[in-house]
Amino acid sequence: MPPATPIRPRVVILTASIAAITATGAWYGAGLKTQQEYKQVSSPFPIRDFLCASPLISCFQERKARIEATPEEKMARLEDAKAGLMSKRIGLVRKIEQLHERKNAQAGAGAGNDGGGAGKG
């Protein structure tokens, strides 16, 4: 058996330094991400408030009003949101039904034209 080659100090130093740099970078990056998320949550004007049609001050006031709303006001807001979602659902269900009707009509028309053979689809 050949004798085992000794580990050179240069290899050990390079390996340890690469591991240290990687660990430091991961730690620093995680800290930056946490800090960014904290600023986004704790900011009185988060990014989504910039998308409001009204001025930023009224967006902040609306947000504050939502937080300080009574349970009845919160329920009314939730019911309004539910009504909006239900109307969207009705529209989507109608579109799906129309899609199924078109698909069935095409399948029926395709099967009738080729003499009973395999239709498209």
Side-chain angles (χ1 to χ4, degrees):
M1 273 183 123
T5 58
I7 299 176
R8 293 186 286 173
R10 180 177 178 208
V11 173
V12 172
I13 292 171
L14 284 174
T15 304
S17 61
I18 290 173
I21 290 169
T22 304
T24 304
W27 186 20
Y28 184 72
L32 284 177
K33 183 178 180 185
T34 303
Q35 187 178 23
Q36 182 181 14
E37 289 173 353
Y38 176 76
K39 283 181 181 179
Q40 187 176 11
V41 169
S42 65
S43 172
F45 303 111
I47 297 300
R48 65 179 176 266
D49 284 351
F50 284 106
L51 301 176
C52 288
S54 56
L56 292 178
I57 301 300
S58 66
C59 285
F60 179 66
Q61 290 170 346
E62 289 173 16
R63 184 173 171 208
K64 187 176 179 182
R66 271 184 284 160
I67 292 170
E68 296 174 351
T70 64
E72 293 81 18
E73 293 171 341
K74 289 180 182 179
M75 287 296 294
R77 186 180 296 267
L78 288 172
E79 287 173 0
D80 290 342
K82 181 181 176 182
L85 290 173
M86 291 300 291
S87 66
K88 285 182 184 179
R89 181 183 182 271
I90 291 169
L92 290 173
V93 167
R94 188 177 304 132
K95 286 181 182 180
I96 291 171
E97 289 172 354
Q98 291 172 354
L99 180 66
H100 285 301
E101 289 173 5
R102 265 190 277 140
K103 187 175 180 181
N104 290 338
Q106 287 176 355
N113 289 340
D114 61 2
K120 292 182 181 178

